[in-house]
Amino acid sequence: MVLSDDKSLAAMFRQMSGGGFPPVVESFERGKTIFFPGDPAERVYFLLKGAVKLSRVYEAGEEITVALLRENSVFGVLSLITGHRSDRFYHAVAFTPVELLSLPIDRVEKTIKQNPELSMVMLQGLSSRILQTEMMIETLAHRDMGSRLVSFLLILCRDFGVPSEDGITIDLKLSHQAIAEAIGSTRVTVTRLLGDLRAEKMISIHKKKITVHNPVVLSQQFA
């Protein structure tokens, strides 16, 4: 879930401690696990910097990406929504280097009860994440890896895109390996497919940041 005002939201999260213990600040390198499925749901997280990947691991060992969270997102809140304590449902991994604030779930729950407006904002943010999850599932439904990649780039344009002179720049430094892990492909395949898109002048890449020159044309021609 993503909330609207960066500064006020970060301040609100820090103030949830109620004068007690301050939020814990943690940093994770890319690829490091924040929590595993089945871990106790003890803390709620606020994403200060970077991007976090949420995925589901199935019995066959397959791991499917269900959402990518950007800065100013709150996650680890399903126990608050369901109304009862449960173990973690997702695998949360640093998709890029990240910096987080976290608070005990009890503290967040108490603050929400005292501030109904905060509950509504959390529900709105959760709705946005559900939409992204549906889009990710549609992306992974493509058997053709080229279509998967294009659909994934379009999701990133929507959620991480910044207008630039050349189109929409995805404001993440993305390695080919990270993209491959997100769409269930291999680094070699992703490298080849990105090269094809560059040759077609659909995208450009500078310092690991991808610019989509025309998302509409890309979606019509390749998705």
Side-chain angles (χ1 to χ4, degrees):
M1 55 167 293
V2 178
L3 301 170
S4 56
D5 189 323
D6 294 4
K7 293 182 180 179
S8 63
L9 192 78
M12 181 184 298
F13 203 79
R14 288 187 172 94
Q15 290 169 2
M16 283 185 187
S17 59
F21 295 104
V24 174
V25 179
E26 300 177 84
S27 297
F28 294 83
E29 297 178 0
R30 193 195 85 77
K32 295 298 183 180
T33 291
I34 299 165
F35 55 75
F36 288 99
D39 282 353
E42 298 175 341
R43 303 187 74 83
V44 174
Y45 296 89
F46 177 80
L47 180 54
L48 287 172
K49 295 180 181 179
V52 168
K53 179 178 74 171
L54 299 183
S55 59
R56 285 281 290 144
V57 181
Y58 294 90
E59 291 183 0
E62 185 179 15
E63 187 164 355
I64 302 297
T65 300
V66 297
L68 282 177
L69 309 179
R70 64 182 183 268
E71 292 177 6
N72 201 35
S73 296
V74 177
F75 63 103
V77 298
L78 282 182
S79 293
L80 296 175
I81 302 298
T82 60
H84 59 81
R85 289 303 171 82
S86 61
D87 294 335
R88 298 296 188 193
F89 188 69
Y90 296 117
H91 184 199
V93 176
F95 192 67
T96 67
V98 301
E99 184 175 322
L100 305 170
L101 293 175
S102 70
L103 278 172
I105 198 167
D106 290 339
R107 181 67 252 173
V108 178
E109 184 176 24
K110 181 177 180 180
T111 304
I112 287 175
K113 288 179 179 179
Q114 296 172 344
N115 187 348
E117 291 183 1
L118 183 58
S119 299
M120 183 57 63
V121 173
M122 283 194 170
L123 284 173
Q124 290 171 349
L126 187 59
S127 297
S128 176
R129 198 175 87 196
I130 289 172
L131 175 60
Q132 191 197 65
T133 296
E134 291 176 348
M135 294 173 68
M136 287 297 302
I137 291 172
E138 289 180 6
T139 292
L140 296 173
H142 292 297
R143 294 184 179 180
D144 173 70
M145 283 298 171
S147 296
R148 281 194 188 188
L149 175 61
V150 167
S151 295
F152 184 61
L153 291 178
L154 293 173
I155 291 173
L156 294 179
C157 282
R158 189 197 75 147
D159 293 337
F160 296 89
V162 176
S164 64
E165 293 181 0
D166 298 324
I168 302 296
T169 297
I170 298 168
D171 193 22
L172 289 173
K173 290 186 177 180
L174 296 167
S175 69
H176 294 187
Q177 182 62 37
I179 296 173
E181 291 170 1
I183 65 173
S185 185
T186 66
R187 182 187 59 79
V188 172
T189 298
V190 166
T191 298
R192 176 177 58 81
L193 293 172
L194 288 173
D196 292 343
L197 292 177
R198 294 176 76 175
E200 294 289 336
K201 300 189 184 303
M202 291 290 162
I203 68 169
S204 57
I205 303 175
H206 180 64
K207 294 183 178 179
K208 293 188 177 182
K209 289 191 176 183
I210 299 173
T211 296
V212 176
H213 298 309
N214 191 323
V216 174
V217 172
L218 181 64
S219 65
Q220 291 174 345
Q221 188 165 349
F222 290 94

